[in-house]
Amino acid sequence: QVRLVESGGGLVQPGSSLRLSCTLSGSFISIYAMAWYRQASGKQRELVASITTGGSTNYADAVKGRFTISRDNAKNTVYLQMNGLKPEDTAVYFCNTVDIRMYWGQGTQVTVPS
């Protein structure tokens, strides 16, 4: 069974850092272009960052220069390093393929109080 599990969220102060992890089971993450998404309360889910199988990355304007997506195919895991966190980064963070071909995991909550 293919499953995505996100972890690493928490409650942090503005300006702090967090590293989120997304581990895939039941398949090989190396064959997929992967992405991180987030959904704030009352808002639609949005794309935050993506990484191709070759390691090329793209970022939403809101996180460019602060967030870094990376992948470790040996660990079947994709990461999101988040620096300089702001209150507007508060959301549940999810990972999936860039074409959203897998069932969503439970996500991981990131809270940055104002």
Side-chain angles (χ1 to χ4, degrees):
Q1 181 181 0
V2 177
R3 186 181 175 207
L4 293 163
V5 178
E6 301 92 347
S7 62
L11 170 63
V12 295
Q13 292 303 306
S16 298
S17 299
L18 281 173
R19 189 177 80 155
L20 307 184
S21 299
C22 166
T23 299
L24 174 65
S25 59
S27 186
F28 296 101
I29 208 167
S30 60
I31 67 174
Y32 300 109
M34 297 296 297
W36 282 95
Y37 304 80
R38 68 185 180 187
Q39 187 167 19
S41 180
K43 295 187 177 181
Q44 287 190 328
R45 197 167 301 186
E46 62 178 355
L47 177 67
V48 174
S50 63
I51 185 166
T52 67
T53 55
S56 296
T57 59
N58 271 295
Y59 300 92
D61 287 344
V63 307
K64 204 170 289 184
R66 299 188 296 123
F67 290 10
T68 303
I69 188 172
S70 61
R71 63 192 305 153
D72 186 338
N73 292 333
K75 295 183 178 179
N76 238 24
T77 299
V78 174
Y79 302 99
L80 186 67
Q81 177 68 42
M82 306 188 296
N83 299 328
L85 283 161
K86 303 176 180 180
E88 51 263 44
D89 295 320
T90 295
V92 181
Y93 285 72
F94 304 86
C95 67
N96 211 316
T97 61
V98 294
D99 54 357
I100 311 178
R101 65 175 64 191
M102 298 182 183
Y103 289 110
W104 294 102
Q106 82 288 351
T108 186
Q109 175 72 49
V110 173
T111 303
V112 188
S114 55

PDB file of all heavy atoms in Angstrom, residues 75-113:
ATOM      1  N   LYS A  75      16.558   7.168   1.482  1.00  0.00           N
ATOM      2  CA  LYS A  75      15.671   7.109   2.646  1.00  0.00           C
ATOM      3  C   LYS A  75      14.209   7.211   2.239  1.00  0.00           C
ATOM      4  O   LYS A  75      13.335   7.262   3.109  1.00  0.00           O
ATOM      5  CB  LYS A  75      16.021   8.220   3.634  1.00  0.00           C
ATOM      6  CG  LYS A  75      17.411   8.065   4.249  1.00  0.00           C
ATOM      7  CD  LYS A  75      17.674   9.143   5.278  1.00  0.00           C
ATOM      8  CE  LYS A  75      19.051   8.946   5.917  1.00  0.00           C
ATOM      9  NZ  LYS A  75      19.361   9.989   6.922  1.00  0.00           N
ATOM     10  N   ASN A  76      13.958   7.296   0.938  1.00  0.00           N
ATOM     11  CA  ASN A  76      12.582   7.410   0.434  1.00  0.00           C
ATOM     12  C   ASN A  76      11.868   8.607   1.067  1.00  0.00           C
ATOM     13  O   ASN A  76      10.667   8.534   1.376  1.00  0.00           O
ATOM     14  CB  ASN A  76      11.793   6.124   0.704  1.00  0.00           C
ATOM     15  CG  ASN A  76      11.237   5.511  -0.569  1.00  0.00           C
ATOM     16  OD1 ASN A  76      11.754   5.734  -1.667  1.00  0.00           O
ATOM     17  ND2 ASN A  76      10.169   4.736  -0.451  1.00  0.00           N
ATOM     18  N   THR A  77      12.589   9.705   1.218  1.00  0.00           N
ATOM     19  CA  THR A  77      12.093  10.850   1.973  1.00  0.00           C
ATOM     20  C   THR A  77      12.366  12.160   1.244  1.00  0.00           C
ATOM     21  O   THR A  77      13.407  12.318   0.599  1.00  0.00           O
ATOM     22  CB  THR A  77      12.754  10.884   3.365  1.00  0.00           C
ATOM     23  OG1 THR A  77      12.409   9.690   4.079  1.00  0.00           O
ATOM     24  CG2 THR A  77      12.284  12.087   4.176  1.00  0.00           C
ATOM     25  N   VAL A  78      11.414  13.064   1.352  1.00  0.00           N
ATOM     26  CA  VAL A  78      11.557  14.432   0.870  1.00  0.00           C
ATOM     27  C   VAL A  78      11.483  15.352   2.084  1.00  0.00           C
ATOM     28  O   VAL A  78      10.695  15.109   3.009  1.00  0.00           O
ATOM     29  CB  VAL A  78      10.445  14.782  -0.135  1.00  0.00           C
ATOM     30  CG1 VAL A  78      10.510  16.248  -0.522  1.00  0.00           C
ATOM     31  CG2 VAL A  78      10.567  13.919  -1.371  1.00  0.00           C
ATOM     32  N   TYR A  79      12.288  16.406   2.073  1.00  0.00           N
ATOM     33  CA  TYR A  79      12.356  17.335   3.194  1.00  0.00           C
ATOM     34  C   TYR A  79      11.927  18.732   2.768  1.00  0.00           C
ATOM     35  O   TYR A  79      12.003  19.094   1.589  1.00  0.00           O
ATOM     36  CB  TYR A  79      13.784  17.404   3.732  1.00  0.00           C
ATOM     37  CG  TYR A  79      14.344  16.083   4.173  1.00  0.00           C
ATOM     38  CD1 TYR A  79      15.187  15.348   3.347  1.00  0.00           C
ATOM     39  CD2 TYR A  79      14.038  15.553   5.426  1.00  0.00           C
ATOM     40  CE1 TYR A  79      15.701  14.123   3.740  1.00  0.00           C
ATOM     41  CE2 TYR A  79      14.556  14.333   5.835  1.00  0.00           C
ATOM     42  CZ  TYR A  79      15.381  13.630   4.991  1.00  0.00           C
ATOM     43  OH  TYR A  79      15.892  12.421   5.390  1.00  0.00           O
ATOM     44  N   LEU A  80      11.506  19.510   3.748  1.00  0.00           N
ATOM     45  CA  LEU A  80      11.275  20.934   3.548  1.00  0.00           C
ATOM     46  C   LEU A  80      11.918  21.664   4.712  1.00  0.00           C
ATOM     47  O   LEU A  80      11.413  21.606   5.840  1.00  0.00           O
ATOM     48  CB  LEU A  80       9.783  21.263   3.461  1.00  0.00           C
ATOM     49  CG  LEU A  80       9.474  22.715   3.104  1.00  0.00           C
ATOM     50  CD1 LEU A  80       9.911  23.023   1.665  1.00  0.00           C
ATOM     51  CD2 LEU A  80       7.983  23.015   3.275  1.00  0.00           C
ATOM     52  N   GLN A  81      13.033  22.307   4.441  1.00  0.00           N
ATOM     53  CA  GLN A  81      13.693  23.146   5.441  1.00  0.00           C
ATOM     54  C   GLN A  81      13.054  24.520   5.396  1.00  0.00           C
ATOM     55  O   GLN A  81      13.055  25.166   4.351  1.00  0.00           O
ATOM     56  CB  GLN A  81      15.186  23.236   5.156  1.00  0.00           C
ATOM     57  CG  GLN A  81      15.936  24.136   6.107  1.00  0.00           C
ATOM     58  CD  GLN A  81      15.988  23.589   7.526  1.00  0.00           C
ATOM     59  OE1 GLN A  81      16.198  22.399   7.725  1.00  0.00           O
ATOM     60  NE2 GLN A  81      15.784  24.464   8.508  1.00  0.00           N
ATOM     61  N   MET A  82      12.520  24.952   6.515  1.00  0.00           N
ATOM     62  CA  MET A  82      11.815  26.227   6.587  1.00  0.00           C
ATOM     63  C   MET A  82      12.546  27.136   7.552  1.00  0.00           C
ATOM     64  O   MET A  82      12.627  26.843   8.749  1.00  0.00           O
ATOM     65  CB  MET A  82      10.372  26.004   7.038  1.00  0.00           C
ATOM     66  CG  MET A  82       9.616  24.988   6.189  1.00  0.00           C
ATOM     67  SD  MET A  82       7.868  24.909   6.579  1.00  0.00           S
ATOM     68  CE  MET A  82       7.943  24.318   8.253  1.00  0.00           C
ATOM     69  N   ASN A  83      13.072  28.223   7.037  1.00  0.00           N
ATOM     70  CA  ASN A  83      13.767  29.213   7.841  1.00  0.00           C
ATOM     71  C   ASN A  83      12.989  30.517   7.837  1.00  0.00           C
ATOM     72  O   ASN A  83      12.181  30.761   6.940  1.00  0.00           O
ATOM     73  CB  ASN A  83      15.173  29.452   7.289  1.00  0.00           C
ATOM     74  CG  ASN A  83      16.034  28.197   7.312  1.00  0.00           C
ATOM     75  OD1 ASN A  83      15.903  27.346   8.184  1.00  0.00           O
ATOM     76  ND2 ASN A  83      16.917  28.085   6.340  1.00  0.00           N
ATOM     77  N   GLY A  84      13.248  31.343   8.811  1.00  0.00           N
ATOM     78  CA  GLY A  84      12.587  32.637   8.863  1.00  0.00           C
ATOM     79  C   GLY A  84      11.076  32.534   8.854  1.00  0.00           C
ATOM     80  O   GLY A  84      10.397  33.288   8.150  1.00  0.00           O
ATOM     81  N   LEU A  85      10.553  31.626   9.653  1.00  0.00           N
ATOM     82  CA  LEU A  85       9.112  31.391   9.639  1.00  0.00           C
ATOM     83  C   LEU A  85       8.324  32.625  10.059  1.00  0.00           C
ATOM     84  O   LEU A  85       8.744  33.385  10.945  1.00  0.00           O
ATOM     85  CB  LEU A  85       8.770  30.201  10.526  1.00  0.00           C
ATOM     86  CG  LEU A  85       9.080  28.841   9.884  1.00  0.00           C
ATOM     87  CD1 LEU A  85       9.158  27.750  10.938  1.00  0.00           C
ATOM     88  CD2 LEU A  85       8.042  28.511   8.829  1.00  0.00           C
ATOM     89  N   LYS A  86       7.189  32.803   9.399  1.00  0.00           N
ATOM     90  CA  LYS A  86       6.309  33.944   9.635  1.00  0.00           C
ATOM     91  C   LYS A  86       4.928  33.439  10.057  1.00  0.00           C
ATOM     92  O   LYS A  86       4.567  32.296   9.738  1.00  0.00           O
ATOM     93  CB  LYS A  86       6.172  34.764   8.351  1.00  0.00           C
ATOM     94  CG  LYS A  86       7.477  35.255   7.769  1.00  0.00           C
ATOM     95  CD  LYS A  86       7.244  35.970   6.456  1.00  0.00           C
ATOM     96  CE  LYS A  86       8.535  36.480   5.842  1.00  0.00           C
ATOM     97  NZ  LYS A  86       8.309  37.184   4.562  1.00  0.00           N
ATOM     98  N   PRO A  87       4.132  34.280  10.700  1.00  0.00           N
ATOM     99  CA  PRO A  87       2.773  33.851  11.063  1.00  0.00           C
ATOM    100  C   PRO A  87       1.973  33.362   9.854  1.00  0.00           C
ATOM    101  O   PRO A  87       1.159  32.433   9.984  1.00  0.00           O
ATOM    102  CB  PRO A  87       2.171  35.106  11.671  1.00  0.00           C
ATOM    103  CG  PRO A  87       3.337  35.833  12.245  1.00  0.00           C
ATOM    104  CD  PRO A  87       4.465  35.594  11.277  1.00  0.00           C
ATOM    105  N   GLU A  88       2.191  33.948   8.700  1.00  0.00           N
ATOM    106  CA  GLU A  88       1.444  33.538   7.510  1.00  0.00           C
ATOM    107  C   GLU A  88       1.860  32.168   6.978  1.00  0.00           C
ATOM    108  O   GLU A  88       1.237  31.651   6.044  1.00  0.00           O
ATOM    109  CB  GLU A  88       1.566  34.588   6.399  1.00  0.00           C
ATOM    110  CG  GLU A  88       2.983  35.017   6.081  1.00  0.00           C
ATOM    111  CD  GLU A  88       3.381  36.301   6.792  1.00  0.00           C
ATOM    112  OE1 GLU A  88       3.071  36.441   8.013  1.00  0.00           O
ATOM    113  OE2 GLU A  88       4.022  37.154   6.134  1.00  0.00           O
ATOM    114  N   ASP A  89       2.897  31.577   7.545  1.00  0.00           N
ATOM    115  CA  ASP A  89       3.271  30.213   7.196  1.00  0.00           C
ATOM    116  C   ASP A  89       2.459  29.179   7.978  1.00  0.00           C
ATOM    117  O   ASP A  89       2.582  27.977   7.713  1.00  0.00           O
ATOM    118  CB  ASP A  89       4.760  29.977   7.460  1.00  0.00           C
ATOM    119  CG  ASP A  89       5.658  30.826   6.580  1.00  0.00           C
ATOM    120  OD1 ASP A  89       5.341  30.983   5.380  1.00  0.00           O
ATOM    121  OD2 ASP A  89       6.665  31.349   7.107  1.00  0.00           O
ATOM    122  N   THR A  90       1.671  29.632   8.917  1.00  0.00           N
ATOM    123  CA  THR A  90       0.851  28.725   9.710  1.00  0.00           C
ATOM    124  C   THR A  90      -0.117  27.958   8.813  1.00  0.00           C
ATOM    125  O   THR A  90      -0.894  28.557   8.070  1.00  0.00           O
ATOM    126  CB  THR A  90       0.063  29.502  10.780  1.00  0.00           C
ATOM    127  OG1 THR A  90       0.987  30.080  11.700  1.00  0.00           O
ATOM    128  CG2 THR A  90      -0.913  28.589  11.517  1.00  0.00           C
ATOM    129  N   ALA A  91      -0.042  26.644   8.865  1.00  0.00           N
ATOM    130  CA  ALA A  91      -0.859  25.788   7.998  1.00  0.00           C
ATOM    131  C   ALA A  91      -0.566  24.333   8.329  1.00  0.00           C
ATOM    132  O   ALA A  91       0.377  24.028   9.069  1.00  0.00           O
ATOM    133  CB  ALA A  91      -0.539  26.051   6.530  1.00  0.00           C
ATOM    134  N   VAL A  92      -1.370  23.461   7.754  1.00  0.00           N
ATOM    135  CA  VAL A  92      -1.034  22.039   7.728  1.00  0.00           C
ATOM    136  C   VAL A  92      -0.267  21.780   6.441  1.00  0.00           C
ATOM    137  O   VAL A  92      -0.711  22.177   5.358  1.00  0.00           O
ATOM    138  CB  VAL A  92      -2.286  21.153   7.800  1.00  0.00           C
ATOM    139  CG1 VAL A  92      -1.888  19.680   7.798  1.00  0.00           C
ATOM    140  CG2 VAL A  92      -3.104  21.474   9.042  1.00  0.00           C
ATOM    141  N   TYR A  93       0.874  21.153   6.569  1.00  0.00           N
ATOM    142  CA  TYR A  93       1.746  20.898   5.430  1.00  0.00           C
ATOM    143  C   TYR A  93       1.632  19.434   5.003  1.00  0.00           C
ATOM    144  O   TYR A  93       1.675  18.522   5.849  1.00  0.00           O
ATOM    145  CB  TYR A  93       3.191  21.244   5.794  1.00  0.00           C
ATOM    146  CG  TYR A  93       3.437  22.724   5.823  1.00  0.00           C
ATOM    147  CD1 TYR A  93       2.922  23.516   6.845  1.00  0.00           C
ATOM    148  CD2 TYR A  93       4.180  23.351   4.823  1.00  0.00           C
ATOM    149  CE1 TYR A  93       3.116  24.892   6.861  1.00  0.00           C
ATOM    150  CE2 TYR A  93       4.400  24.718   4.833  1.00  0.00           C
ATOM    151  CZ  TYR A  93       3.862  25.483   5.850  1.00  0.00           C
ATOM    152  OH  TYR A  93       4.072  26.847   5.866  1.00  0.00           O
ATOM    153  N   PHE A  94       1.505  19.247   3.714  1.00  0.00           N
ATOM    154  CA  PHE A  94       1.355  17.924   3.116  1.00  0.00           C
ATOM    155  C   PHE A  94       2.394  17.744   2.021  1.00  0.00           C
ATOM    156  O   PHE A  94       2.845  18.713   1.421  1.00  0.00           O
ATOM    157  CB  PHE A  94      -0.018  17.764   2.462  1.00  0.00           C
ATOM    158  CG  PHE A  94      -1.201  18.000   3.363  1.00  0.00           C
ATOM    159  CD1 PHE A  94      -1.701  19.271   3.567  1.00  0.00           C
ATOM    160  CD2 PHE A  94      -1.830  16.929   3.983  1.00  0.00           C
ATOM    161  CE1 PHE A  94      -2.800  19.487   4.371  1.00  0.00           C
ATOM    162  CE2 PHE A  94      -2.935  17.130   4.787  1.00  0.00           C
ATOM    163  CZ  PHE A  94      -3.413  18.419   4.983  1.00  0.00           C
ATOM    164  N   CYS A  95       2.697  16.502   1.715  1.00  0.00           N
ATOM    165  CA  CYS A  95       3.500  16.229   0.529  1.00  0.00           C
ATOM    166  C   CYS A  95       2.700  15.330  -0.405  1.00  0.00           C
ATOM    167  O   CYS A  95       1.742  14.662   0.008  1.00  0.00           O
ATOM    168  CB  CYS A  95       4.832  15.594   0.881  1.00  0.00           C
ATOM    169  SG  CYS A  95       4.709  13.943   1.575  1.00  0.00           S
ATOM    170  N   ASN A  96       3.082  15.343  -1.654  1.00  0.00           N
ATOM    171  CA  ASN A  96       2.484  14.482  -2.665  1.00  0.00           C
ATOM    172  C   ASN A  96       3.341  14.590  -3.917  1.00  0.00           C
ATOM    173  O   ASN A  96       4.289  15.376  -3.966  1.00  0.00           O
ATOM    174  CB  ASN A  96       1.042  14.909  -2.965  1.00  0.00           C
ATOM    175  CG  ASN A  96       0.154  13.742  -3.377  1.00  0.00           C
ATOM    176  OD1 ASN A  96       0.557  12.904  -4.180  1.00  0.00           O
ATOM    177  ND2 ASN A  96      -1.026  13.667  -2.800  1.00  0.00           N
ATOM    178  N   THR A  97       3.010  13.840  -4.923  1.00  0.00           N
ATOM    179  CA  THR A  97       3.670  14.026  -6.204  1.00  0.00           C
ATOM    180  C   THR A  97       3.193  15.350  -6.801  1.00  0.00           C
ATOM    181  O   THR A  97       2.154  15.885  -6.397  1.00  0.00           O
ATOM    182  CB  THR A  97       3.350  12.878  -7.161  1.00  0.00           C
ATOM    183  OG1 THR A  97       1.942  12.857  -7.390  1.00  0.00           O
ATOM    184  CG2 THR A  97       3.778  11.535  -6.579  1.00  0.00           C
ATOM    185  N   VAL A  98       3.918  15.866  -7.776  1.00  0.00           N
ATOM    186  CA  VAL A  98       3.520  17.154  -8.342  1.00  0.00           C
ATOM    187  C   VAL A  98       2.195  17.044  -9.100  1.00  0.00           C
ATOM    188  O   VAL A  98       1.498  18.035  -9.267  1.00  0.00           O
ATOM    189  CB  VAL A  98       4.607  17.753  -9.252  1.00  0.00           C
ATOM    190  CG1 VAL A  98       5.843  18.109  -8.438  1.00  0.00           C
ATOM    191  CG2 VAL A  98       4.957  16.821 -10.395  1.00  0.00           C
ATOM    192  N   ASP A  99       1.855  15.848  -9.530  1.00  0.00           N
ATOM    193  CA  ASP A  99       0.570  15.667 -10.212  1.00  0.00           C
ATOM    194  C   ASP A  99      -0.458  15.005  -9.294  1.00  0.00           C
ATOM    195  O   ASP A  99      -1.488  14.526  -9.762  1.00  0.00           O
ATOM    196  CB  ASP A  99       0.735  14.863 -11.502  1.00  0.00           C
ATOM    197  CG  ASP A  99       1.441  13.524 -11.281  1.00  0.00           C
ATOM    198  OD1 ASP A  99       1.864  13.239 -10.139  1.00  0.00           O
ATOM    199  OD2 ASP A  99       1.577  12.776 -12.261  1.00  0.00           O
ATOM    200  N   ILE A 100      -0.171  15.019  -8.005  1.00  0.00           N
ATOM    201  CA  ILE A 100      -1.094  14.579  -6.961  1.00  0.00           C
ATOM    202  C   ILE A 100      -1.726  13.236  -7.324  1.00  0.00           C
ATOM    203  O   ILE A 100      -2.954  13.099  -7.443  1.00  0.00           O
ATOM    204  CB  ILE A 100      -2.182  15.643  -6.685  1.00  0.00           C
ATOM    205  CG1 ILE A 100      -1.557  17.021  -6.505  1.00  0.00           C
ATOM    206  CG2 ILE A 100      -2.969  15.271  -5.433  1.00  0.00           C
ATOM    207  CD1 ILE A 100      -2.533  18.141  -6.266  1.00  0.00           C
ATOM    208  N   ARG A 101      -0.888  12.222  -7.452  1.00  0.00           N
ATOM    209  CA  ARG A 101      -1.372  10.919  -7.825  1.00  0.00           C
ATOM    210  C   ARG A 101      -1.529   9.985  -6.640  1.00  0.00           C
ATOM    211  O   ARG A 101      -1.959   8.847  -6.812  1.00  0.00           O
ATOM    212  CB  ARG A 101      -0.456  10.281  -8.864  1.00  0.00           C
ATOM    213  CG  ARG A 101       0.948   9.968  -8.368  1.00  0.00           C
ATOM    214  CD  ARG A 101       1.761   9.233  -9.417  1.00  0.00           C
ATOM    215  NE  ARG A 101       1.991  10.027 -10.605  1.00  0.00           N
ATOM    216  CZ  ARG A 101       2.492   9.528 -11.734  1.00  0.00           C
ATOM    217  NH1 ARG A 101       2.771   8.253 -11.820  1.00  0.00           N
ATOM    218  NH2 ARG A 101       2.701  10.302 -12.769  1.00  0.00           N
ATOM    219  N   MET A 102      -1.186  10.445  -5.447  1.00  0.00           N
ATOM    220  CA  MET A 102      -1.292   9.590  -4.265  1.00  0.00           C
ATOM    221  C   MET A 102      -2.346  10.128  -3.311  1.00  0.00           C
ATOM    222  O   MET A 102      -2.702  11.311  -3.357  1.00  0.00           O
ATOM    223  CB  MET A 102       0.059   9.524  -3.563  1.00  0.00           C
ATOM    224  CG  MET A 102       1.152   8.913  -4.413  1.00  0.00           C
ATOM    225  SD  MET A 102       2.706   8.796  -3.525  1.00  0.00           S
ATOM    226  CE  MET A 102       3.769   8.127  -4.814  1.00  0.00           C
ATOM    227  N   TYR A 103      -2.816   9.245  -2.452  1.00  0.00           N
ATOM    228  CA  TYR A 103      -3.720   9.688  -1.407  1.00  0.00           C
ATOM    229  C   TYR A 103      -2.955  10.625  -0.450  1.00  0.00           C
ATOM    230  O   TYR A 103      -1.793  10.410  -0.151  1.00  0.00           O
ATOM    231  CB  TYR A 103      -4.272   8.495  -0.622  1.00  0.00           C
ATOM    232  CG  TYR A 103      -5.250   7.655  -1.409  1.00  0.00           C
ATOM    233  CD1 TYR A 103      -4.908   6.370  -1.832  1.00  0.00           C
ATOM    234  CD2 TYR A 103      -6.512   8.142  -1.721  1.00  0.00           C
ATOM    235  CE1 TYR A 103      -5.801   5.597  -2.551  1.00  0.00           C
ATOM    236  CE2 TYR A 103      -7.405   7.377  -2.448  1.00  0.00           C
ATOM    237  CZ  TYR A 103      -7.051   6.114  -2.864  1.00  0.00           C
ATOM    238  OH  TYR A 103      -7.931   5.352  -3.579  1.00  0.00           O
ATOM    239  N   TRP A 104      -3.663  11.645   0.007  1.00  0.00           N
ATOM    240  CA  TRP A 104      -3.043  12.576   0.936  1.00  0.00           C
ATOM    241  C   TRP A 104      -2.771  11.890   2.276  1.00  0.00           C
ATOM    242  O   TRP A 104      -3.584  11.094   2.748  1.00  0.00           O
ATOM    243  CB  TRP A 104      -3.942  13.784   1.166  1.00  0.00           C
ATOM    244  CG  TRP A 104      -4.119  14.634  -0.047  1.00  0.00           C
ATOM    245  CD1 TRP A 104      -5.189  14.668  -0.891  1.00  0.00           C
ATOM    246  CD2 TRP A 104      -3.180  15.588  -0.570  1.00  0.00           C
ATOM    247  NE1 TRP A 104      -4.969  15.580  -1.887  1.00  0.00           N
ATOM    248  CE2 TRP A 104      -3.754  16.160  -1.723  1.00  0.00           C
ATOM    249  CE3 TRP A 104      -1.909  16.015  -0.172  1.00  0.00           C
ATOM    250  CZ2 TRP A 104      -3.100  17.134  -2.488  1.00  0.00           C
ATOM    251  CZ3 TRP A 104      -1.264  16.982  -0.927  1.00  0.00           C
ATOM    252  CH2 TRP A 104      -1.853  17.541  -2.075  1.00  0.00           C
ATOM    253  N   GLY A 105      -1.649  12.258   2.889  1.00  0.00           N
ATOM    254  CA  GLY A 105      -1.371  11.821   4.247  1.00  0.00           C
ATOM    255  C   GLY A 105      -2.111  12.700   5.236  1.00  0.00           C
ATOM    256  O   GLY A 105      -2.955  13.522   4.855  1.00  0.00           O
ATOM    257  N   GLN A 106      -1.752  12.554   6.493  1.00  0.00           N
ATOM    258  CA  GLN A 106      -2.446  13.322   7.523  1.00  0.00           C
ATOM    259  C   GLN A 106      -1.894  14.742   7.652  1.00  0.00           C
ATOM    260  O   GLN A 106      -2.518  15.609   8.252  1.00  0.00           O
ATOM    261  CB  GLN A 106      -2.338  12.612   8.893  1.00  0.00           C
ATOM    262  CG  GLN A 106      -1.047  12.860   9.659  1.00  0.00           C
ATOM    263  CD  GLN A 106       0.164  12.161   9.064  1.00  0.00           C
ATOM    264  OE1 GLN A 106       0.059  11.331   8.160  1.00  0.00           O
ATOM    265  NE2 GLN A 106       1.341  12.484   9.580  1.00  0.00           N
ATOM    266  N   GLY A 107      -0.742  14.985   7.056  1.00  0.00           N
ATOM    267  CA  GLY A 107      -0.126  16.301   7.141  1.00  0.00           C
ATOM    268  C   GLY A 107       0.546  16.527   8.485  1.00  0.00           C
ATOM    269  O   GLY A 107       0.437  15.720   9.418  1.00  0.00           O
ATOM    270  N   THR A 108       1.241  17.649   8.575  1.00  0.00           N
ATOM    271  CA  THR A 108       1.889  18.036   9.831  1.00  0.00           C
ATOM    272  C   THR A 108       1.626  19.523  10.061  1.00  0.00           C
ATOM    273  O   THR A 108       1.789  20.340   9.148  1.00  0.00           O
ATOM    274  CB  THR A 108       3.389  17.693   9.819  1.00  0.00           C
ATOM    275  OG1 THR A 108       3.958  17.949  11.105  1.00  0.00           O
ATOM    276  CG2 THR A 108       4.157  18.459   8.756  1.00  0.00           C
ATOM    277  N   GLN A 109       1.193  19.854  11.251  1.00  0.00           N
ATOM    278  CA  GLN A 109       0.781  21.218  11.572  1.00  0.00           C
ATOM    279  C   GLN A 109       1.992  22.088  11.898  1.00  0.00           C
ATOM    280  O   GLN A 109       2.830  21.725  12.729  1.00  0.00           O
ATOM    281  CB  GLN A 109      -0.180  21.219  12.770  1.00  0.00           C
ATOM    282  CG  GLN A 109      -0.580  22.593  13.266  1.00  0.00           C
ATOM    283  CD  GLN A 109      -1.529  23.303  12.325  1.00  0.00           C
ATOM    284  OE1 GLN A 109      -2.531  22.729  11.884  1.00  0.00           O
ATOM    285  NE2 GLN A 109      -1.234  24.561  12.010  1.00  0.00           N
ATOM    286  N   VAL A 110       2.050  23.232  11.262  1.00  0.00           N
ATOM    287  CA  VAL A 110       3.052  24.255  11.573  1.00  0.00           C
ATOM    288  C   VAL A 110       2.305  25.487  12.055  1.00  0.00           C
ATOM    289  O   VAL A 110       1.418  25.991  11.366  1.00  0.00           O
ATOM    290  CB  VAL A 110       3.914  24.595  10.348  1.00  0.00           C
ATOM    291  CG1 VAL A 110       4.828  25.782  10.651  1.00  0.00           C
ATOM    292  CG2 VAL A 110       4.731  23.384   9.920  1.00  0.00           C
ATOM    293  N   THR A 111       2.652  25.947  13.248  1.00  0.00           N
ATOM    294  CA  THR A 111       2.000  27.112  13.820  1.00  0.00           C
ATOM    295  C   THR A 111       3.049  28.141  14.208  1.00  0.00           C
ATOM    296  O   THR A 111       3.981  27.837  14.960  1.00  0.00           O
ATOM    297  CB  THR A 111       1.168  26.739  15.050  1.00  0.00           C
ATOM    298  OG1 THR A 111       0.202  25.734  14.686  1.00  0.00           O
ATOM    299  CG2 THR A 111       0.435  27.962  15.600  1.00  0.00           C
ATOM    300  N   VAL A 112       2.875  29.344  13.669  1.00  0.00           N
ATOM    301  CA  VAL A 112       3.782  30.457  13.969  1.00  0.00           C
ATOM    302  C   VAL A 112       2.910  31.591  14.482  1.00  0.00           C
ATOM    303  O   VAL A 112       2.257  32.288  13.701  1.00  0.00           O
ATOM    304  CB  VAL A 112       4.571  30.888  12.730  1.00  0.00           C
ATOM    305  CG1 VAL A 112       5.648  31.903  13.112  1.00  0.00           C
ATOM    306  CG2 VAL A 112       5.201  29.690  12.033  1.00  0.00           C
ATOM    307  N   PRO A 113       2.850  31.810  15.774  1.00  0.00           N
ATOM    308  CA  PRO A 113       1.952  32.827  16.316  1.00  0.00           C
ATOM    309  C   PRO A 113       2.443  34.225  15.980  1.00  0.00           C
ATOM    310  O   PRO A 113       3.639  34.474  15.823  1.00  0.00           O
ATOM    311  CB  PRO A 113       1.983  32.560  17.821  1.00  0.00           C
ATOM    312  CG  PRO A 113       3.281  31.869  18.060  1.00  0.00           C
ATOM    313  CD  PRO A 113       3.567  31.080  16.833  1.00  0.00           C
TER     314      PRO A 113
END
